[in-house]
Amino acid sequence: MSYSIKNNWDGLASSLSKIWDLSVPKTAMVITDENIAPLYLADVHTVLANSTIWHIQHCIIPSGETAKNFNTYTNVLQAMYNAGLDRSSVVVALGGGIVSDVAGFAAATFMRGIDYINIPTTLLAMTDSAIGGKTGIDFLGEKNLIGAFHQPRLIYSNIAVLSSLPKNDYISGLAEVIKYGIIKDVALLEFLNENISKVLICDEATLLHIIKSSCDIKTEIVTQDEKDNDLRQILNFGHTFGHAIETLMDFKLPHGHCVSIGMVCALRYSVAKLNLPQDDADFVIDIIRKYGLPISSNLSPQQIYQQMKRDKKAQSGKLTIIATSKLGTAQIVKNPDEKGVIQCI
C-alpha cells in the first residue's frame, strides 16, 4: 500500500505508473456514489483514459450509510461481471468511506480478490477509512458486520476536492485527526489547537500536514497489526461508544460526530480509571468543542451501553474499549466494569 497527497489530479497517472505498466490493457471499474459522480467522475475518467490504454467503466451506487447493504454489494458485483472484469482488473473507489467500504469489499471477493485503489473525497476518508484495508457492509442493523481485510494498492488524495465538502462533513473528519493526537501524537493535538482558523478554512499547507500526519500514524499501526488482533485496536479510541451512538441514531448523525462524543466518554473513563489528568482531558474536550463537534447526546447511558455490548470486538458479551493514561498513548481495556462505563457515558 502506498499513498499520495496532492492538491490536483495531475499526480494520479504517475502514482499508478509506479504500480502498473499503463501501456498494458486492462479493465478498470470506477465505483462512486450519486453525490460524487457529478463532481469528479468525469475528471478521474479523463485522467485514466488519457494516461492509460485501460478500458474504463463505472458504477454509481446510492449515497449514505443505508447504501452499505447486500443489495448495493450484489449490484456492484453484477456491474463488475457485466463489464468483463477479470483477475487483472482494477477497482477504483472514488468517494468517502462508504464507497471505499463497498467497493473494497467487492474487490476483495470478486474472483477471490482483485486489485483496488482508493481515491477518497472526504477528510474522514483521507485520514482514516481509506487507509488500512478494512472493507465491508452493514448487516442486520449492525455496522460493518460483514467484510474482509483487503489492502488498496494505492491511496490518492486530492485535497482540492475538500472545498466542495459540506461543512458538517468536513468537521466530521476532524474527529479522526483528533483521535490520532490522543493515541499517538501530542504534537498533532497542539497543532490542531494552535491552527483552528487555518484548519477550518482548508488552508492547503495545514491540510497537507494533518492528513500526512494521520496517514503516517495509521499506516505505522496497520503495518504492525493488519488484521486488528492487538495494536490496531487502539485506532478505535472512542469508536465503541461512537458506533453504538451511530447505530441508535439510525446513522442520522455523521460518523465523526458520533466518534467525538465517544472520545469524550473514553476520556472520562480514562480520568476515572486510568488516572489521566483531568487537565489533559479538558484540553482535548476543549479542542473538540472549538471545532464544532458535539460532546454529548440525548441517548440514555444504559441504552448506549447495551448497544456497545453488541460491538464486533465484544467477546461473550464482554466489552473492549480503548482508553489512555497519558496523551499520546493508548491502552486496550478488556471487560471494563459496567458501572464505570455507564458513569463515563
Side-chain angles (χ1 to χ4, degrees):
M1 178 185 71
S2 63
Y3 67 86
S4 180
I5 306 169
K6 305 287 184 182
N7 65 348
N8 52 51
W9 298 114
D10 293 347
L12 179 56
S14 61
S15 296
L16 291 171
S17 67
K18 295 176 183 177
I19 304 171
W20 296 288
D21 181 350
L22 303 186
S23 66
V24 174
K26 65 172 72 227
T27 300
M29 169 71 77
V30 181
I31 299 172
T32 189
D33 70 29
E34 57 194 5
N35 289 337
I36 297 301
L39 298 173
Y40 306 117
L41 178 57
D43 291 337
V44 172
H45 189 286
T46 297
V47 170
L48 294 175
N50 290 346
S51 308
T52 73
I53 61 169
W54 296 0
H55 179 51
I56 313 301
Q57 300 277 355
H58 69 262
C59 174
I60 300 174
I61 66 173
S63 61
E65 185 74 30
T66 55
K68 280 178 57 175
N69 56 45
F70 260 118
N71 186 54
T72 302
Y73 166 64
T74 54
N75 285 344
V76 170
L77 291 179
Q78 184 71 60
M80 292 165 67
Y81 178 80
N82 291 345
L85 268 67
D86 56 33
R87 299 194 72 177
S88 71
S89 299
V90 178
V91 167
V92 180
L94 173 66
I98 292 164
V99 170
S100 64
D101 279 350
V102 174
F105 187 41
T109 50
F110 188 78
M111 294 189 172
R112 295 195 177 96
I114 63 174
D115 286 340
Y116 83 110
I117 68 172
N118 275 328
I119 303 181
T121 59
T122 67
L123 182 61
L124 194 151
M126 290 181 188
T127 56
D128 186 68
S129 56
I131 310 161
K134 281 187 176 180
T135 71
I137 56 175
D138 303 338
F139 185 61
L140 299 178
E142 301 295 327
K143 190 175 176 70
N144 300 323
L145 194 60
I146 297 176
F149 290 96
H150 189 51
Q151 293 294 342
R153 295 293 303 276
L154 169 71
I155 302 162
Y156 186 87
S157 295
N158 174 7
I159 63 170
V161 307
L162 296 178
S163 62
S164 66
L165 199 64
K167 182 179 179 181
N168 217 30
D169 290 340
Y170 176 72
I171 291 172
S172 177
L174 293 171
E176 297 289 356
V177 182
I178 294 169
K179 174 199 73 178
Y180 290 122
I182 296 170
I183 66 170
K184 200 71 176 174
D185 187 358
V186 176
L188 179 57
L189 281 177
E190 293 169 345
F191 182 88
L192 289 168
N193 188 50
E194 294 166 2
N195 293 276
I196 293 170
S197 60
K198 288 184 178 180
V199 173
L200 291 177
I201 64 170
C202 299
D203 174 74
E204 181 180 325
T206 306
L207 276 178
L208 287 171
H209 177 75
I210 65 172
I211 294 172
K212 185 179 186 304
S213 297
S214 299
C215 289
D216 287 345
I217 291 169
K218 185 161 186 179
T219 300
E220 177 190 350
I221 292 171
V222 170
T223 299
Q224 297 177 67
D225 178 24
E226 180 183 1
K227 298 297 178 66
D228 210 7
N229 294 316
D230 187 29
L231 177 65
R232 185 169 177 167
Q233 292 182 34
I234 69 172
L235 293 168
N236 289 317
F237 186 90
H239 283 60
T240 303
F241 299 96
H243 283 164
I245 293 166
E246 195 172 11
T247 299
L248 290 168
M249 297 193 71
D250 198 26
F251 304 104
K252 292 183 172 67
L253 191 64
H255 174 74
H257 290 56
C258 296
V259 167
S260 74
I261 299 170
M263 290 193 298
V264 172
C265 296
L267 287 166
R268 289 175 178 158
Y269 184 91
S270 299
V271 170
K273 301 296 182 179
L274 274 67
N275 297 316
L276 175 72
Q278 184 66 56
D279 287 349
D280 288 353
D282 291 342
F283 170 65
V284 178
I285 293 170
D286 188 51
I287 293 174
I288 291 171
R289 281 199 188 100
K290 286 175 179 176
Y291 280 107
L293 288 160
I295 62 169
S296 63
S297 78
N298 294 324
L299 298 167
S300 75
Q302 189 65 40
Q303 190 180 17
I304 294 172
Y305 179 77
Q306 291 303 319
Q307 183 62 40
M308 287 170 65
K309 290 171 68 175
R310 303 176 69 177
D311 186 83
K312 295 190 301 300
K313 292 177 182 59
Q315 296 181 0
S316 302
K318 299 184 185 300
L319 284 176
T320 295
I321 65 172
I322 309 304
T324 178
S325 59
K326 180 182 179 182
L327 294 181
T329 67
Q331 295 173 234
I332 301 169
V333 180
K334 297 187 176 182
N335 195 23
D337 66 290
E338 178 177 346
K339 183 178 178 181
V341 173
I342 291 176
Q343 284 180 338
C344 79
I345 300 173

